[in-house]
Amino acid sequence: MTGSSLAPMLDAGNQEERVRTQVGIIGAGPAGLLLSHLLHLGGVDSVVIEERSEDYVRQRVRAGVLENTTTDLLREVGLGERMDREGLVHGGISLRFDGADHRVDFEELVGRNVTVYGQQEVVKDLIAARNRDGGQLLFDVSDTAVHDIDTDRPRITFRDSAGQPRELLCDVIAGCDGFHGVSRKSVPHEAYDHAYPFAWLGILAKAAPTREELAYTYHERGFALYSMRSPEITRLYLQVAPDENLDEWPDDRVWAELHTRMAVDGESPVLEGPLLDKGITAMRSFVAAPMRHGRLFLAGDAAHIVPPTGAKGMNLAVADVRLLSQALTELLRRNDSRLVESYSDTALQRVWRAEAFSWSMTSMLHIRPGADAFQRQVQLAQLRYTAGSRAALTSIAENYVGLPW
């Protein structure tokens, strides 16, 4: 494989600026930015393009639970300093039902933990690292399209932030641009899709957490989740209908419902405060297989979506790009294609395990619309068994903290 050159070339015919690199990465979320960082450490050049602005990417609120395997990797590649200083280490979670709190003790069951550190904070760390190392990050692009992915010289065309046409000549393209991006649509795939009959209404509140760990609550009025982002910020969720109108949920109603669903022995753990964000998130499971076509490889949400109940979304993206960076480094530095040939099959094994865990947690904790008394008693029986079984608790713990690579 030839090395890359970032010197621009101008096409005299259409005044389109053409840039050469080894890996063109579409999407500047955690997957795309981490892939660029890992490739840099392996001696492979990349250019990252992103349709959103840098400010938007830095500030968008997403998942915040990092598996033990994810935190280990971030430390290994020089991205753990601020995470270790500001992240909140959690040694377990709680399952709340029957008016009582049942703790799943990760450290006692499997000897590991998780860290609460917002996705936007990981993104900030990655942008800082890529800027420090001279990485090529292009924000505010438009009209992105991929070409010639069946050849060994695929291309990405787009318009830069000034509206000028650009062309990126690559050895490989990595599609890290999410479910609605151009990459997934360019890969012929089997779509495994499941929509859930409920959604999450989430709020970000300027209120200090009143507990140290996440609490997953099963309640007859619907699921609720207590989580946090920092010592000053809490993140709270309520199960609502998928077509719920956010305008029908004024702040007072949100707080009242949170107190009702999360109360144990008549006491609620929720401390109220000014809302910083409020939104509704649809719940779905989705897998695109394979995760590769020719020289275009999918990673992160471009290839799979999980319901947030299992805290797997960003962690799966990290697992994908860890595999992909190794495969592309072998291909581009040593002309060894074995890892790229097995990338999709290997990645999908972990994806499907995470899908199964996320589906199981979601099904166990949410009230299905129209569920009869029998179905609800079955759910409660499963929760009671889980809370009383060391084997069941160990299964939750090892899946939640992250299975070994």
Side-chain angles (χ1 to χ4, degrees), residues 109-364:
L109 291 165
V110 296
R112 290 180 286 154
N113 51 45
V114 296
T115 298
V116 173
Y117 187 64
Q119 174 176 308
Q120 69 272 24
E121 304 306 323
V122 176
V123 165
K124 291 173 188 175
D125 295 342
L126 284 163
I127 291 175
R130 296 308 298 126
N131 287 337
R132 179 197 65 212
D133 297 333
Q136 301 290 310
L137 307 179
L138 304 179
F139 293 94
D140 284 312
V141 311
S142 58
D143 298 336
T144 304
V146 298
H147 312 271
D148 303 330
I149 59 175
D150 288 320
T151 74
D152 60 2
R153 288 294 182 268
R155 300 177 292 120
I156 306 172
T157 57
F158 60 96
R159 291 186 179 274
D160 64 20
S161 58
Q164 297 301 309
R166 303 282 296 272
E167 185 175 38
L168 196 57
L169 309 177
C170 318
D171 293 316
V172 170
I173 298 173
C176 305
D177 49 344
F179 182 80
H180 298 290
V182 67
S183 299
R184 181 182 62 83
K185 301 169 187 175
S186 303
V187 172
H189 62 271
E190 184 78 18
Y192 300 88
D193 199 0
H194 177 73
Y196 295 84
F198 37 75
W200 278 11
L201 188 160
I203 63 168
L204 197 67
K206 189 174 182 181
T210 57
R211 53 180 295 125
E212 295 182 352
E213 296 173 345
L214 278 67
Y216 290 76
T217 302
Y218 173 93
H219 191 273
E220 62 182 9
R221 294 177 64 88
F223 169 79
L225 172 61
Y226 185 99
S227 67
M228 60 291 293
R229 288 294 178 267
S230 76
E232 297 82 29
I233 304 294
T234 48
R235 184 71 163 157
L236 305 160
Y237 297 94
L238 290 168
Q239 176 186 343
V240 296
D243 57 352
E244 198 74 50
N245 183 351
L246 193 59
D247 293 337
E248 296 179 1
W249 284 88
D251 296 359
D252 288 348
R253 183 186 178 192
V254 172
W255 289 120
E257 196 66 23
L258 286 167
H259 288 305
T260 297
R261 296 190 194 183
M262 292 186 177
V264 168
D265 295 329
E267 296 184 1
S268 167
V270 179
L271 182 64
E272 296 184 18
L275 296 194
L276 306 176
D277 183 67
K278 183 194 295 185
I280 292 179
T281 302
M283 303 279 282
R284 75 184 307 163
S285 296
F286 177 87
V287 178
M291 293 169 58
R292 174 211 177 176
H293 182 71
R295 287 295 182 96
L296 172 57
F297 296 80
L298 304 180
D301 286 357
H304 40 72
I305 301 289
V306 289
T309 325
K312 291 289 160 244
M314 181 166 60
N315 295 294
L316 274 182
V318 170
D320 288 348
V321 299
R322 175 184 174 274
L323 273 179
L324 186 56
S325 65
Q326 295 171 344
L328 296 184
T329 300
E330 289 297 305
L331 177 70
L332 300 173
R333 293 293 301 274
R334 301 174 183 85
N335 200 25
D336 186 338
S337 64
R338 287 176 294 179
L339 291 181
V340 296
E341 296 297 335
S342 63
Y343 165 70
S344 179
D345 288 342
T346 303
L348 284 169
Q349 291 181 39
R350 192 180 192 90
V351 168
W352 279 116
R353 178 60 246 159
E355 292 282 359
F357 176 67
S358 299
W359 178 87
S360 174
M361 289 283 285
T362 302
S363 301
M364 182 171 65

Side-chain angles (χ1 to χ4, degrees), residues 56-76:
Y56 176 89
V57 170
R58 284 175 174 272
Q59 295 173 13
R60 62 183 164 191
V61 177
R62 292 291 188 272
V65 177
L66 306 184
E67 293 177 354
N68 195 244
T69 44
T70 296
T71 56
D72 284 348
L73 177 64
L74 294 177
R75 293 187 190 101
E76 180 185 329

